Amino acid sequence: MGLLASFTSMAGAADCSAADKRFVYEQLLSADFEEAKTNRTFKIRPEQVCAVANKEASDSRGYYLYKIGPWTRYISVHNGLNGHVQMYGPFKF
C-alpha cells in the first residue's frame, strides 16, 4: 500500500497524548494483541505517528502509534536490542 517511515524519522516522533498512551497499553495487555500482527505498511506523515515511552522499562522496546484516518490505529513495537520492528493492527479507536 505504501512505504513505512524509516525508524530514523520515527525517532523524532512527538510523545503520545495521555489518551493515546492509555489506548496503546490497553492493546498491549489485550489477550488478542499477538493475533493482530500484520505486515501492512503505510506512507505516513509525521503528524500521524506518536511515540509511547516507558522510562521505567529496561527491555529496550519502543512503541509507536500510527493514526491512520480518524478511527483506525496501528501499533509498532521496536526492539532496540536487535532492531526488529513488528506492526500490529488495525485497532478501532
Side-chain angles (χ1 to χ4, degrees):
M1 167 160 221
L3 300 173
L4 181 66
S6 69
F7 181 69
T8 54
S9 66
M10 289 186 296
D15 284 342
C16 290
S17 69
D20 286 338
K21 289 178 184 180
R22 197 169 34 255
F23 176 80
V24 169
Y25 289 127
E26 286 172 2
Q27 297 308 315
L28 292 172
L29 295 173
S30 168
D32 300 327
F33 184 72
E34 277 299 316
E35 293 176 18
K37 191 180 290 189
T38 184
N39 291 326
R40 191 155 185 194
T41 58
F42 301 94
K43 184 172 182 177
I44 61 164
R45 296 182 307 274
E47 64 271 11
Q48 290 178 287
V49 63
C50 64
V52 177
N54 184 353
K55 294 176 179 34
E56 293 84 39
S58 60
D59 62 0
S60 298
R61 287 190 183 164
Y63 304 100
Y64 294 86
L65 179 64
Y66 295 80
K67 302 173 184 181
I68 310 299
W71 308 111
T72 304
R73 303 291 185 259
Y74 286 81
I75 298 170
S76 66
V77 179
H78 297 254
N79 183 328
L81 297 176
N82 65 13
H84 184 265
V85 177
Q86 180 61 56
M87 183 74 79
Y88 296 85
F91 302 103
K92 297 298 178 198
F93 186 73

